[in-house]
């Protein structure tokens, strides 16, 4: 798994800093699996985080402190994640006899393969297995711009938190999926985290991320379409999008605007799948799992299922997590579950093998 530290550590809070809200998950390991210790969510005003970049660190650090205070979270060590343009994930093939040799060769290889200067990025890698060519190893190279990682760790330290792990949204999503669904090997799954401004796509098989891509489209686009099309404020458009009533609008008036954005999203997903089939694997995608708040947009699940002809399901990251009803309102947990997938995957980093 990708991250700054890999040692076993106790109690990390998974903290997902998104453009519409910050999400926190803390877990405990039990004999039967996991138990939810804490669940927090706090909204951010628009322009605080823009497409994965923290623009207003003070607002973010106050929101983090608020989540920790409101939910009485005691742990100060966090696992967080980055995504978007400043993260590059690339599969490469290398020849290396030992782990040490591999580690030594990575920066050189990264310099050759990435357009970025290696001194400007935080590098990490994971060996995927033997390559198709003799003596080679397939390696997943992950580079995050150093300034992006600092952008996150500084906001966290302003909030008095210590960043123990910096992961990538798409991989955290995969960790949450695997813990919740124990997917059978040799089946291909597409995981989509459709947030407010970014959609993370990760196509996985047998625990390996075969293909990842971040697309700049999400719930904000739907809200903007309603704002423009129906002449509404941001707040009214959000409310309408989530199934609420707005005085001047008949409910059926919104569908055409939502559908127009869903069509754009569908096209991006279709393009990604086509590219995956052309470059990586001809194997069909067996099922799509949708996470993120925008997974719940009216009609989206059906549209994807009908147009792509692949079964689509909303991802429940708490499927195998014990949630005490005295502590957490089950209806609320169920409502926010798809938005918690990345935070859940990050919280799982507490239990990394040493
Ligand atoms: N029930 C719902 N129906 C439609 N959209 C919803 C619903 N609930 C939340 N959303 C939308 O989901 C988005 C928030 O989802 P999420 O928390 O996954 O995004 P984020 O992590 O803040 O954003 P990003 O990862 O793109 O930076 C918002 O655009 C919000 O309007
Ligand atoms: Mg998000």
């Amino acid at each position: 798994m990708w991250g700054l530290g890999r040692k076993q550590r106790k109690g990390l809070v998974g903290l997902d800093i998104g453009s519409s809200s910050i999400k926190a998950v803390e877990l405990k390991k039990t004999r039967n699996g996991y138990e939810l210790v804490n669940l927090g969510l706090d909204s951010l005003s628009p322009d605080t985080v823009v497409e994965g970049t923290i623009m207003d660190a003070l607002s973010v650090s106050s929101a983090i402190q608020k989540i920790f205070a409101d939910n009485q979270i005691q742990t100060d060590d966090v696992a967080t994640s980055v995504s978007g343009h400043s993260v590059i994930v690339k599969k490469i093939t290398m020849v290396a006899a030992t782990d040490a040799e591999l580690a030594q060769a990575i920066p050189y290889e990264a310099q050759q393969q990435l357009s970025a200067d290696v001194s400007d990025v935080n590098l990490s890698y994971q060996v995927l297995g033997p390559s198709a060519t003799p003596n080679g190893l397939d390696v997943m190279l992950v580079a995050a711009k150093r300034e992006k990682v600092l952008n996150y760790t500084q906001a966290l330290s302003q909030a008095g938190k210590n960043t123990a792990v910096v992961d990538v949204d798409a991989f955290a999503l995969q960790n949450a999926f695997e813990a919740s669904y124990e997917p059978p090997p040799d089946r291909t799954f597409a995981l989509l985290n459709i947030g407010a401004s970014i959609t993370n796509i990760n196509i996985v098989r047998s625990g390996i991320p075969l293909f990842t891509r971040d697309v700049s489209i999400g719930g904000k686009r739907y809200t903007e379409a309603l704002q423009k099309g129906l002449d509404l404020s941001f707040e009214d458009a959000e409310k309408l999008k989530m199934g609420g009533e707005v005085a001047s609008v008949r409910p059926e008036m919104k569908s055409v605007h939502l559908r127009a954005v869903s069509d754009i999203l569908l096209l991006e997903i279709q393009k990604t799948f086509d590219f995956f089939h052309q470059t990586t694997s001809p194997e069909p995608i067996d099922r799509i799992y949708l996470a993120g708040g925008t997974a719940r947009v009216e009609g989206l699940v059906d549209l994807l299922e009908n147009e792509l002809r692949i079964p689509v399901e909303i991802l429940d990251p708490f499927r195998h997590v014990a949630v005490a009803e005295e502590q957490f309102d089950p209806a609320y947990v169920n409502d926010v579950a798809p938005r918690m997938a990345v935070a859940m995957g990050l919280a799982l980093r507490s239990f990394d093998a040493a």
Side-chain angles (χ1 to χ4, degrees):
M1 262 183 262
W2 191 67
L4 292 176
R6 286 157 199 272
K7 284 205 201 70
Q8 175 108 33
R9 50 184 98 65
K10 265 191 265 162
L12 289 184
V13 179
L15 200 66
D16 171 14
I17 303 174
S19 56
S20 79
S21 58
I22 301 182
K23 278 83 66 183
V25 169
E26 191 177 7
L27 299 172
K28 191 166 78 183
K29 207 166 191 168
T30 63
R31 221 180 316 151
N32 304 323
Y34 301 104
E35 188 185 317
L36 189 63
V37 176
N38 267 304
L39 180 71
L41 187 148
D42 198 36
S43 295
L44 295 173
S45 39
D47 302 330
T48 308
V49 174
V50 176
E51 288 214 26
T53 299
I54 297 172
M55 308 302 278
D56 179 353
L58 197 62
S59 295
V60 169
S61 62
S62 316
I64 294 170
Q65 283 172 332
K66 185 171 182 300
I67 291 183
F68 277 65
D70 288 354
N71 298 285
Q72 296 169 353
I73 302 176
Q74 308 290 341
T75 319
D76 283 330
D77 291 335
V78 305
T80 194
S81 57
V82 292
S83 70
H85 298 305
S86 27
V87 183
I88 306 168
V89 178
K90 193 163 183 184
K91 202 188 294 175
I92 59 173
T93 302
M94 295 179 63
V95 180
T98 62
D99 287 353
E101 218 176 282
L102 184 69
Q104 217 175 18
I106 286 284
Y108 173 78
E109 200 67 33
Q111 188 68 71
Q112 308 298 307
Q113 301 271 354
L114 307 174
S115 45
D117 188 337
V118 282
S119 59
D120 294 339
V121 299
N122 280 19
L123 271 183
S124 182
Y125 64 93
Q126 191 185 340
V127 175
L128 299 176
S131 67
T133 50
N135 304 325
L137 278 180
D138 280 338
V139 177
M140 174 84 80
L141 197 60
V142 184
K145 290 226 173 83
R146 219 178 275 283
E147 62 178 39
K148 167 76 126 209
V149 173
L150 275 175
N151 180 241
Y152 274 60
T153 52
Q154 279 170 352
L156 281 159
S157 77
Q158 260 186 52
K161 308 303 165 205
N162 166 46
T163 311
V165 171
V166 181
D167 209 322
V168 170
D169 283 6
F171 296 159
L173 177 68
Q174 181 179 349
N175 284 338
F177 166 66
E178 280 161 9
S180 302
Y181 291 85
E182 296 164 343
D186 304 321
R187 286 266 177 285
T188 308
F189 301 99
L191 314 178
L192 271 58
N193 179 35
I194 318 175
S197 61
I198 298 178
T199 293
N200 316 114
I201 304 177
N202 188 357
I203 304 175
V204 303
R205 182 165 62 221
S206 305
I208 290 175
L210 297 177
F211 190 90
T212 65
R213 181 174 174 229
D214 287 342
V215 185
S216 294
I217 181 171
K220 214 171 125 221
R221 203 72 84 82
Y222 287 92
T223 308
E224 285 165 357
L226 292 177
Q227 272 183 269
K228 248 198 221 143
L230 300 171
D231 195 20
L232 297 173
S233 66
F234 174 83
E235 288 74 23
D236 279 350
E238 276 285 308
K239 196 168 146 194
L240 190 66
K241 182 176 76 170
M242 296 190 197
E245 279 180 33
V246 172
S248 58
V249 184
R250 277 179 283 112
E252 66 274 16
M253 285 164 72
K254 70 176 175 183
S255 302
V256 54
H257 301 290
L258 295 180
R259 174 61 193 256
V261 181
S262 288
D263 281 336
I264 300 173
L265 183 59
L266 167 68
L267 200 68
E268 285 298 329
I269 296 167
Q270 180 78 69
K271 271 194 331 207
T272 305
F273 288 3
D274 287 347
F275 192 69
F276 162 74
H277 290 309
Q278 283 159 20
T279 59
T280 311
S281 168
E283 295 281 334
I285 291 166
D286 293 290
R287 187 174 279 266
I288 299 172
Y289 286 88
L290 298 187
T294 305
R296 294 222 203 263
V297 160
E298 177 196 282
L300 184 61
V301 168
D302 289 344
L303 177 74
L304 297 182
E305 201 158 62
N306 293 335
E307 296 295 321
L308 299 167
R309 298 179 182 281
I310 301 171
V312 179
E313 193 177 317
I314 302 245
L315 193 152
D316 175 11
F318 302 131
R319 196 164 172 254
H320 284 337
V321 176
V323 180
E325 292 196 4
E326 320 80 74
Q327 200 187 343
F328 305 98
D329 173 11
Y332 174 75
V333 175
N334 185 48
D335 185 45
V336 296
R339 298 174 73 182
M340 291 293 173
V342 168
M344 164 72 181
L346 294 171
L348 286 167
R349 297 295 304 264
S350 300
F351 317 110
D352 282 3

